[in-house]
Amino acid sequence: MLRESHTAIVARNERWEGEAATEPFEAGWASEAIFFLRALAAEGPTGEGRAHVQISPDGIRWVDEGTSTTVPARTEGIAVLRVAHFGSWLRLRVSLPAGARLTPIVTLSLKA
Amino acid sequence: MSATLQELRLADPRLSRFDPMRRIICFDDFDRGYCGWTQLVGNYEHTLDSMTASYATHTHPQLATVSHWDAGTHGGVDGTYALKIATRPKRGIRSTAIKRLTFRQAGPIRLEFYFTFKPEATEPRLSETDVRSVGFLYDLQTGYEQNGLRVMPHIRFLNAQDGHHIQRWQYKDETTPLRQIGTEGKTVTHDHLAPFGWKDVPGGEQKLCYNEIPTKINWHYMRFDFDLAAMRMIEMQCNDRRYDLAGIPSIVMPAMRNLWCMLNLVFFAEADADKRVFLYVDSVCLSGEF
């Protein structure tokens, strides 16, 4: 049996300011995941923002997994967050400083 | 269908819960993965901003274990995983999942699947009116040599509206006007799931088992028969009830130049509260009489 693999688009062309998060994504079948946070547009000091992977016991309550990185500072920049051993749910939380506005596309690459 | 073929299917635990027509076109058991089900993205050209807003908020389907905060994993009908269609937490919003095929024989086809639905269990109460509806549709176009129609049969189970528990099957034969996308004259869009024009299937009231707390689910059987030659609905069955659909119209419009023999299958869910709602499907069997 080939390893299951799936690419999910979990946010696309939204306008993020301040605190934002992707919708919960259930992927208990996967053992590894990569979030690609690509800036379709970056306005203001987006590069001072942080992106954090979050995990959840139930898809409702969220805790930081510990993996984080800076948000792309410019349009077409891509941030990468790799995780494994994450349980059943994943989402990406982004915190942006005042005056920053991000139009993201978030790709979640999953593999069994 | 021969008695031998029937007996073989009844002895196969993957198929014994279905009554497929002679040829199984696809059998999607979500313990094998996504099986071709994906996000229904709206049409666009040059910029994503040209996408219709109600499509832009569709989410990506998930392989779910149907797990809850209070009781853990529920699982699927016969394994661990089910396909999950999840809305965002906003009243009136919808989400979908799609599988894109084409057909090779314009004749009768049968869609069978097991499904259940619940709102996100964010409150310790039954919340039975938080799911507005769950449903399915085909997006079809005749072959080039046929009569040049795009046909979209839509069926939904209207579970609740404005807090009232309704529990009734409905169909839809209206869509929005076509809207040109971009500048190249190659792409149009219309919002066939826009929330208007739903009509009651005659005798379509049905009391489904929805259990007693928001984290207990029961699976329901669904069968939908359609004729690709006449492009007409035939009949459907949900659990113990059958509905004659012979006089039920679909959304019909002139054929489009790029969609010949299209056979798309779509599942959808609509929220009736500011809460995520989930449609789970496990498994899907599409068959044809050829």
Side-chain angles (χ1 to χ4, degrees), chain A residues 1 4 6-15 22-30 40 57-61 88-89 105 110, chain B residues 32-34 37 39 41 48-49 51 55-56 58-67 69 81 84 87-89 120-122 276:
Chain A
M1 201 69 162
E4 177 71 8
H6 194 78
T7 297
I9 305 303
V10 293
R12 181 190 51 241
N13 206 35
E14 299 171 8
R15 303 294 188 269
T22 60
E23 282 294 291
F25 199 83
E26 193 169 346
W29 57 270
L40 296 174
D58 52 18
I60 299 170
R61 296 154 188 91
S88 294
W89 279 274
I105 185 161
L110 297 155
Chain B
R32 288 189 292 110
Y34 274 86
W37 288 90
Q39 179 175 174
V41 68
L48 289 170
D49 292 340
M51 191 184 302
Y55 284 87
H58 290 171
T59 61
H60 203 95
Q62 302 161 55
L63 290 181
T65 56
V66 197
S67 297
W69 68 272
Y81 295 104
K84 175 184 184 178
T87 70
R88 294 165 194 267
E120 190 171 48
T122 52
R276 293 181 183 89

Side-chain angles (χ1 to χ4, degrees), chain B residues 115-190:
Chain B
F115 73 101
T116 190
F117 56 89
K118 279 288 184 180
E120 190 171 48
T122 52
E123 296 177 282
R125 50 189 290 271
L126 182 55
S127 312
E128 76 278 15
T129 60
D130 290 347
V131 177
R132 177 172 296 173
S133 83
V134 296
F136 58 92
L137 65 100
Y138 284 139
D139 190 357
L140 308 166
Q141 183 158 306
T142 54
Y144 188 69
E145 307 301 331
Q146 277 180 276
N147 51 2
L149 294 176
R150 184 171 174 189
V151 182
M152 304 182 75
H154 283 53
I155 297 286
R156 76 172 180 179
F157 183 71
L158 178 62
N159 178 65
Q161 180 95 46
D162 303 326
H164 301 290
H165 206 193
I166 297 172
Q167 299 185 282
R168 178 182 298 150
W169 292 100
Q170 295 188 314
Y171 67 96
K172 194 177 200 291
D173 60 358
E174 298 175 65
T175 184
T176 59
L178 291 181
R179 178 172 73 84
Q180 188 74 38
I181 296 267
T183 57
E184 297 187 8
K186 295 178 180 175
T187 303
V188 296
T189 191
H190 62 108

